[in-house]
Amino acid sequence: MFRTALRNVFAHKARLLMTAFAVMLGVTFITGSLVYGDSLNQATTAQATDGYERIAVNVAAEADPANGGRPGDLDARTATALAKLPGVAAAAGRVDGFAAVADRDGKPLGNGKDAQGGNFAPAADGKDPAYRFTEGSGPTGKDTIALDEATAAQGGYRVGDTVRVGTNKGASSYTLSGIFRTDGTKLPAGGSLTLFAGATAQKFFLEPGLYQNIEVTATPGTDVTQLLSRVESVLPKGTSAATGAQLAQIQANLATSRTSTMSQILVGFAAVALFVATFLIANTFTMLVARRTRELALMRAVGATREQVRRILLTESLLVGAIASVAGLAVGTGVAALLQTLFADTPAAPLVLTPTTVIISMLVGTLLPMVAAWLPIRRAMAIPPVAALSAAEHTAPARPGSLRTGLSAALVLTGSAAVVYGALTTEKDARTVIGLGAALALTGTIGLIPLLSRPVVTLFRPLLTRLAPVHGDLAIRNTVRDPRRTGATAAALAIALTLASGLSVLGASATQYLDRATTHALSADYVVKSAGGQGMTPTTAAPLKKLAGATYSPLNQSTEYYLGGSKSVLTGVDPATIGKLLRYDVIEGSLDSLAKGQIAVADFKAEQAGWHVGQTLPLERRNDQRGSLTIGAIYQADEQSDLMPSITAPGSLVARYDSTPSTAGILVATDGGPSRAALAGVTHALGDNPTLSVLDQADIRAQDSRGIGDQLNVFYALVSMALVIAALGIANTLAMSVLERRKELGTLRALGLDRAGVTRMIRLEALLLGALGATLGTVMGVFLGWALGRTLQANVAGYELVLPWGRLALTILIALAGSLLASLWPARRAARVDIPAATAAQ
């Protein structure tokens, strides 16, 4: 049986080529996802744990809530005491924080959020074991710094150059004393690292004389567990100790949790691609088995049992899957390497091909064709040999009263009802209900496509018959000739278009919401923010006093308040200017009340707490400060807005309770509006500090929507694999249809239809298949996008459904273009049918 199956595979290799290619693509996707995920996990883990092997014990200062969050007392005396313990080679005190390096044009180098600063802590030999200098030496004075190798190369800096560096305390110029390499504990991927002298770093990042942690290195042969006990015995209050191995394990767990999400997304899209491939494979085997009905019946007639014939056909599908899986493994590993290149901000590492990945890919690739071929084989085995030998193949039309149709209709109705319920309910598991409902509705739609194909295709009849009367009518008749085959082919495209359309609707709706939430309330020309996402201090805005024609107000956020029993955050502003910088839509009261020492409250906050204008609320802080505040105004605000505060208070009032609030941003308006000169003036007034970003409204809009756009682009790229497989399904269906219709095509040619006419007819058939799948998929995608968007409206005020007509139209055009491309080879074969041979065929 194996030899017979192998001979049949090679005999029908051209017909099985598309099936093998679809399986290969599916296996490629899942192999690439698993290999990339494993490689990323290993690389991220290696980088996160790199360097901890040199640390025997790490002592960290813990924040003391009873002392206003001040860190524990880790100072030089503690470091000296630790250095004197038996088995300790050195004890290096460390501090770190945000520090951005400017290039020669004043723009920050590297990834802003990962711009780090630290201290150079030399041992007795003058070297710091955490850093390996390739040029120069470590900084020893307050006016010198050292840079990591990548940052120095990016900025074109050499030892002796002047480099401008900014921290949350301001920006200054320094002399570059050295360039170094270091491990993952100090330098994150894509970030920058600036080393300062010890006292300078303490001044910038903590307090003079204090450290955030002390790294203890051990002498050779020291037992780390015993050393940990010795260290703990001399630690001051508010500090803790852990071994380097313990810290490495914690970092490894964090790295794994960060990379697992991306891996799961990739595997999820791989599963979708495999699901789409199932339709292609099942369709192919349905047509192959139908064409070989007489051949199979003859085998039964000469003595082969039904079980033997079934085994031969299943073995054929197994062989096709095995061959395609091996190819998919090889190509998938290459795809993983390509993903590493595309995601350049992830750490580079050798590709990891584990036995688990090989086993999963091979099992999926070999079992998938067998599962997809099982139903066509079962149907073929149900035909008596005598009937199969004496009868020609005929198509079983989809009947409205059939069990399949009834079950599919029930699934569509049940699934759609679940989706609508999930969209309208406020329960926390609404998205789970929508997901289950979507799966049921999509499954039912796939089952109904054979029934829907005739009315949907008929919608395009007037257009086709007008553009191409003869060829269009023939294409329509051929498309609806076998509804089940048409449905299986269009189903694959419908699934891909459902995902693409749903993503488009969600993406467009979220982008419009973010655009409105971030810029609707902004009247200022510029918003100044920390480039690394760190909080600024109120003194950051002070230099703007000297900028002629500038109106500004810092947004000084102060936390740990209980206002009227409700946990609250107060944002201090300048009452004289804030009304010109933020657009307050006051519902009740007046914003002028800020000048009287009262507060203004966002509507969602007032509604949650049950507050009203004129109400006086008791105030408590965690440091036992007490007072009372009166509500002078209530205004409309979006709960997700980064600019509009939930509680707006006069800056003087916030300063009364909090001497060190965090400045979330600075609003600036200039005479004459935004311009290059105005931007340069604001930047220069703030000290040309690379840690500060001066953003106009367009910058803010782009910054807030960039994350959604990047994610959508990744998802679109993944969905494109399903589109490719769906296009292959159309090509395969048309190619098999051409083989079945050779006599018919020869007759059409004999009756006067030229080669161009045959080519046009096949292409129109492909476009009809594409239009059928695209129409159903787009409708389903918009429906699911609406439902998922509804679940966001409960938590995201102002979110509204947006139908991106342009993007939806583009997706449909891409689907139609893919269908047209898929028809090129079948159309060429159909046009080259030999007329005498085809008309003489039985």
Side-chain angles (χ1 to χ4, degrees), residues 139-227:
T140 55
K142 63 178 182 179
D143 296 325
T144 58
I145 60 164
L147 292 177
D148 70 275
E149 199 171 40
T151 303
Q154 185 182 2
Y157 291 123
R158 304 295 299 271
V159 172
D161 287 350
T162 299
V163 182
R164 191 161 183 81
V165 180
T167 68
N168 290 333
K169 301 290 181 66
S172 298
S173 297
Y174 301 86
T175 300
L176 184 62
S177 67
I179 297 173
F180 60 86
R181 295 176 182 173
T182 188
D183 51 53
T185 62
K186 304 298 180 186
L187 182 62
S192 62
L193 178 58
T194 306
L195 291 183
F196 299 89
T200 305
Q202 289 174 328
K203 180 182 69 174
F204 286 156
F205 306 132
L206 194 59
E207 294 180 24
L210 293 184
Y211 299 113
Q212 291 163 325
N213 62 291
I214 298 175
E215 296 174 352
V216 177
T217 53
T219 56
T222 301
D223 184 274
V224 175
T225 304
Q226 295 179 359
L227 181 60

Side-chain angles (χ1 to χ4, degrees), residues 39-49 251 255-256 258-259 346-347 349:
S39 303
L40 179 62
N41 181 55
Q42 178 173 295
T44 305
T45 301
Q47 184 185 59
T49 59
Q251 293 299 320
T256 301
R258 287 193 296 266
T259 58
T346 58

Side-chain angles (χ1 to χ4, degrees), residues 591-603:
L591 200 63
D592 294 337
S593 59
L594 292 176
K596 302 175 184 178
Q598 297 180 349
I599 61 173
V601 181
D603 54 351

Side-chain angles (χ1 to χ4, degrees), residues 24 61 118 123 147 171 209 223 244 296 403 449 465 510 540 569 577 601 672 744 752 775 819 826:
M24 187 196 77
L147 292 177
D223 184 274
L296 299 176
L403 177 62
I449 286 181
T465 53
T540 306
V569 175
T577 62
V601 181
E744 174 189 323
T775 300
S819 302

Side-chain angles (χ1 to χ4, degrees), residues 621-642:
R621 285 204 82 197
R622 292 180 63 177
N623 56 2
D624 293 331
Q625 287 181 309
R626 298 179 183 275
S628 62
L629 299 178
T630 301
I631 300 176
I634 294 177
Y635 53 88
Q636 283 186 335
D638 194 318
E639 192 170 356
Q640 307 300 319
S641 175
D642 291 334

Side-chain angles (χ1 to χ4, degrees), residues 348-384:
L351 294 177
V352 178
L353 181 61
T354 64
T356 302
T357 297
V358 175
I359 292 172
I360 291 175
S361 299
M362 291 299 297
L363 281 177
V364 169
T366 53
L367 293 179
L368 180 64
M370 295 179 66
V371 172
W374 181 81
L375 185 59
I377 293 172
R378 181 175 177 271
R379 289 175 183 165
M381 293 301 97
I383 301 175

Side-chain angles (χ1 to χ4, degrees), residues 87 285 288 356 375 446 748 828:
F285 274 96
L288 279 177
T356 302
L375 185 59
I446 291 170
L748 289 173
R828 185 182 180 190

